[in-house]
């Protein structure tokens, strides 16, 4: 019988506005950082363990994050979170 001993999800997410939004790069960064903050708050509310390993502002105003997060409540993620 096999059992999952540890599990996590590795994701690369890009928070970006439509190309024709008419905002400056600074405005796009502000909006996109707001979306990142809401995403983090959503994971906090749902009590999902996560770790942001990278958060990069792109030249077009988008924000790229790499996140390592808990797969489900029963899966142990302690070896993935240092």
């Amino acid at each position: 019988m096999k059992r999952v001993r540890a599990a996590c999800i590795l994701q690369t997410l890009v928070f970006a506005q439509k190309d024709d939004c008419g905002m400056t790069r600074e405005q796009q960064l502000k909006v996109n950082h707001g979306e990142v903050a809401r995403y983090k708050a959503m994971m906090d509310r749902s009590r999902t363990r996560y770790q942001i390993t990278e958060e990069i502002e792109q030249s077009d105003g988008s924000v790229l994050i790499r996140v390592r997060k808990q797969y489900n409540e029963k899966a142990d993620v302690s070896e993935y979170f240092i």
Side-chain angles (χ1 to χ4, degrees):
M1 173 189 280
K2 73 173 180 174
R3 292 190 180 161
V4 175
R5 183 172 179 175
C8 80
I9 297 173
L10 301 173
Q11 292 181 322
T12 302
L13 304 169
V14 178
F15 293 85
Q17 301 303 307
K18 293 181 181 178
D19 290 336
D20 60 349
C21 64
M23 289 191 275
T24 66
R25 181 181 183 279
E26 290 76 25
Q27 291 171 325
Q28 287 181 346
L29 279 172
K30 185 176 180 181
V31 169
N32 293 332
H33 277 292
E35 286 187 30
V36 171
R38 284 189 293 280
Y39 180 74
K40 291 176 185 178
M42 181 213 38
M43 288 192 294
D44 290 337
R45 275 193 307 274
S46 65
R47 297 187 187 127
T48 301
R49 276 186 71 189
Y50 68 94
Q51 182 179 37
I52 304 291
T53 57
E54 202 170 11
E55 187 168 333
I56 303 168
E57 295 177 357
Q58 303 291 306
S59 61
D60 64 352
S62 62
V63 178
L64 180 136
I65 66 168
R66 296 188 199 287
V67 61
R68 182 179 298 150
K69 67 183 187 178
Q70 186 175 15
Y71 179 68
N72 62 31
E73 293 177 11
K74 296 179 182 179
D76 178 32
V77 292
S78 58
E79 70 183 70
Y80 298 108
F81 292 87
I82 301 170

